[in-house]
Amino acid sequence: MAATFIVSGSSALAETSAILVHKDPNCGCCAGWVQHLKDAGFTVTVQETAQLPAVRKRLGVPGDLAACHTAEIAGYVIEGHVPALAVRQLLEKRPAAVGLAVPGMPAGSPGMEGGTPRKYDVVLFGTSGRQLFMQFVGSEIAS
């Protein structure tokens, strides 16, 4: 019985750590974000496309939350330079939402390293509106 539980748990973990990233083939910061996810233990598949606006529209990302890449994981959308820690929190809490977004390209966010990191918001968004999910400075939770 215990062996069955462990195998099932491993399968569920593998399933929730698989992420599909839609990115422009010419974007360097997107590659940095992909590496951040890999370093955090996610299994990343990259789909390069010049049609990101169509991907965002299909997935329900509001225009004002758009960033430079869009990802899909376990039924959620991840838009922009969202830290892996926030993605893990989303997967643990499983809120009723479309996903998480970090609008724009905040200095110091994963993939945007260099310079002085600034504080930025990770926004939870969905059909019932938006709310602050977490705040970060660089890849660290803001205090």
Side-chain angles (χ1 to χ4, degrees):
M1 184 84 161
T4 302
F5 176 75
I6 292 170
V7 171
S8 296
S10 297
S11 177
L13 179 60
E15 183 179 308
T16 60
S17 69
I19 187 166
L20 171 61
V21 178
H22 306 275
K23 73 175 217 50
D24 185 286
N26 301 310
C27 185
C29 69
C30 296
W33 185 69
V34 165
Q35 188 59 52
H36 167 75
L37 293 175
K38 288 178 179 179
D39 292 346
F42 287 93
T43 303
V44 183
T45 301
V46 175
Q47 182 177 42
E48 295 188 343
T49 179
Q51 303 301 319
L52 284 172
V55 170
R56 287 188 194 102
K57 183 176 181 180
R58 175 177 60 83
L59 296 173
V61 177
D64 64 322
L65 293 181
C68 60
H69 51 263
T70 305
E72 299 175 70
I73 185 168
Y76 288 107
V77 177
I78 308 297
E79 180 67 20
H81 294 268
V82 177
L85 181 58
V87 176
R88 291 266 185 233
Q89 286 290 312
L90 176 74
L91 296 174
E92 286 178 24
K93 293 180 179 182
R94 304 289 305 170
V98 172
L100 295 177
V102 171
M105 300 167 70
S109 61
M112 294 297 298
E113 291 86 358
T116 303
R118 67 175 181 87
K119 189 175 187 177
Y120 61 94
D121 296 341
V122 176
V123 178
L124 182 73
F125 67 96
T127 56
S128 61
R130 302 173 186 186
Q131 67 185 49
L132 178 64
F133 187 72
M134 298 176 84
Q135 287 188 317
F136 287 81
V137 174
S139 294
E140 304 296 320
I141 297 174
S143 51

